[in-house]
Amino acid sequence: MSAHGGGKAILAAFLANMGIAIAKFIGWLLSGSASMLAEAIHSVADSGNQLLLMLGGKRAQRSADREHPFGYGRERYVYAFVVAIILFSVGGLFSIYEGVEKLTHPHELDPQWQWLPVVILVVAIGLESFSLRTAVKESNLVREKGQSWVSFVRRAKAPELPVVLLEDVAALLGLIFALFGVGMTIITGNTFFDALGTLMIGALLILVAIVLGIETKSLLVGEGATVGDFDRIVTAIEKGPEVDKLIHIKTLYVGPEELLVAAKVGLPRDKSLFEVAADINTVEKRIREAVPIARIIYLEPDVYRPAGESLPTEAVILKSSD
């Protein structure tokens, strides 16, 4: 996976979540805390998510073939969408179920081990903070200057970094919720707070899953170039003497780092086929220099005709007498 796919951030999140999950399960088994069980399931789901993101990045590297002539880049979007579903079903719904179960059938924490979840949660907050720091550092390498984090999550074309960022933020908030639930239960002796912390974790995971699902769905359906890249492509087409008029243009991400550009360009009426071909090649070169990820470019030559103007037949035929 490329650096833009956040391979370091995914690996850091996976290692942190695996270690945290084991510690949380131990804390749940010894203390009986529902919040700890919810957080353990949360960490297991996150670990599985990171494995799926790495698998998607690996499968997306396959070369194009006859069945998939534009390659497999969009597989990264598919696996990111599956991650959102897993985060919702495994993490969110289970936590909600466990919270309701503890509200209807409350039980006390084990007095001998009730301090253990607090220690585990504090350590987990430190590890998750490291994971989030790595994700932020990786994201800053590709985040545009002045772009807000909300805009980055919504507009990023590589799905891995937004997924890891949201997961890490949700993990930190979930740990705080669990710490609140366990801490208040220890202080007051009322297990309602433990169940409440579990419900808060479940609601948080569902909210994050919905956001991820909406954003990855948009990428799966197909998004065009960002505003900045689109403007650079238009400028690259129009700034040379070859093109009289850009008639229309469409762009589409066929993968997180591969952009398709299709445009109809108006060329001078008196040029030969050889000259038209040379001009098209020149314009394509300018586009690739301006936006390197524009790897698939189709330019259709035409003759621009303002509204109401009628052209003779010979004016719209490409001459090949050369």
Side-chain angles (χ1 to χ4, degrees):
M1 190 182 301
S2 71
H4 288 195
K8 291 181 180 178
I10 295 174
L11 182 60
F14 173 74
L15 294 175
N17 282 317
M18 283 300 296
I20 292 171
I22 294 172
K24 288 175 181 175
F25 272 118
I26 294 174
W28 165 65
L29 288 171
L30 294 177
S31 69
S33 168
S35 295
M36 286 301 297
L37 177 58
E39 271 299 298
I41 297 299
H42 180 180
S43 294
V44 170
D46 281 355
S47 300
N49 293 344
Q50 274 100 51
L51 287 176
L52 284 174
L53 291 176
M54 288 189 281
L55 177 61
K58 183 69 174 178
R59 292 182 62 83
Q61 293 176 359
R62 290 179 293 169
S63 300
D65 52 34
R66 188 179 184 87
E67 187 175 2
H68 297 88
F70 292 113
Y72 292 83
R74 283 197 173 188
E75 286 224 30
R76 285 165 67 177
Y77 300 152
V78 174
Y79 281 86
F81 187 76
V82 172
V83 162
I85 301 302
I86 290 178
L87 188 63
F88 172 78
S89 59
V90 176
L93 292 182
F94 179 85
S95 297
I96 294 292
Y97 166 79
E98 186 67 17
V100 172
E101 175 69 16
K102 290 301 180 288
L103 281 176
T104 54
H105 301 88
H107 61 78
E108 302 293 331
L109 298 181
D110 188 326
Q112 183 179 358
W113 296 102
Q114 63 181 5
W115 56 270
L116 183 60
V118 175
V119 174
I120 292 174
L121 290 171
V122 171
V123 173
I125 288 174
L127 292 175
E128 284 292 355
S129 297
F130 170 76
S131 176
L132 178 59
R133 177 179 175 274
T134 303
V136 169
K137 184 178 179 180
E138 289 284 293
S139 299
N140 280 331
L141 296 176
V142 296
R143 188 166 64 103
E144 295 181 4
K145 185 177 181 180
Q147 185 181 28
S148 68
W149 285 107
V150 173
S151 175
F152 174 74
V153 170
R154 294 195 61 189
R155 305 303 178 194
K157 305 305 179 182
E160 294 84 4
L161 284 173
V163 169
V164 173
L165 278 171
L166 287 175
E167 280 188 352
D168 285 349
V169 171
L172 274 175
L173 290 175
L175 290 168
I176 293 172
F177 293 161
L179 189 60
F180 164 78
V182 174
M184 290 299 295
T185 297
I186 294 174
I187 293 171
T188 65
N190 189 345
T191 58
F192 165 80
F193 292 103
D194 190 28
L196 177 62
T198 307
L199 291 172
M200 292 169 66
I201 293 169
L204 172 68
L205 290 178
I206 291 174
L207 177 62
V208 172
I210 291 173
V211 173
L212 283 177
I214 292 173
E215 296 307 319
T216 52
K217 177 190 74 68
S218 179
L219 292 169
L220 278 172
V221 171
E223 291 187 358
T226 62
V227 174
D229 281 347
F230 185 87
D231 291 342
R232 283 186 282 271
I233 292 171
V234 171
T235 300
I237 293 174
E238 295 182 332
K239 76 175 183 179
E242 301 84 8
V243 177
D244 284 342
K245 179 72 174 181
L246 174 59
I247 299 173
H248 68 74
I249 179 173
K250 291 185 178 181
T251 61
L252 179 69
Y253 273 91
V254 297
E257 291 149 8
E258 191 168 20
L259 185 65
L260 181 149
V261 179
K264 178 178 285 191
V265 294
L267 301 178
R269 305 173 185 179
D270 57 349
K271 287 199 172 184
S272 66
L273 180 60
F274 179 83
E275 292 172 322
V276 168
D279 287 347
I280 291 295
N281 290 336
T282 299
V283 175
E284 288 182 353
K285 182 179 179 181
R286 280 206 307 266
I287 293 174
R288 290 192 172 95
E289 289 174 349
V291 182
I293 63 172
R295 300 174 185 173
I296 306 171
I297 302 175
Y298 298 110
L299 298 181
E300 178 185 351
D302 204 339
V303 175
Y304 175 66
R305 182 177 60 183
E309 180 183 345
S310 178
L311 296 177
T313 302
E314 58 270 17
V316 293
I317 295 178
L318 296 178
K319 300 176 182 179
S320 58
S321 58
D322 58 282

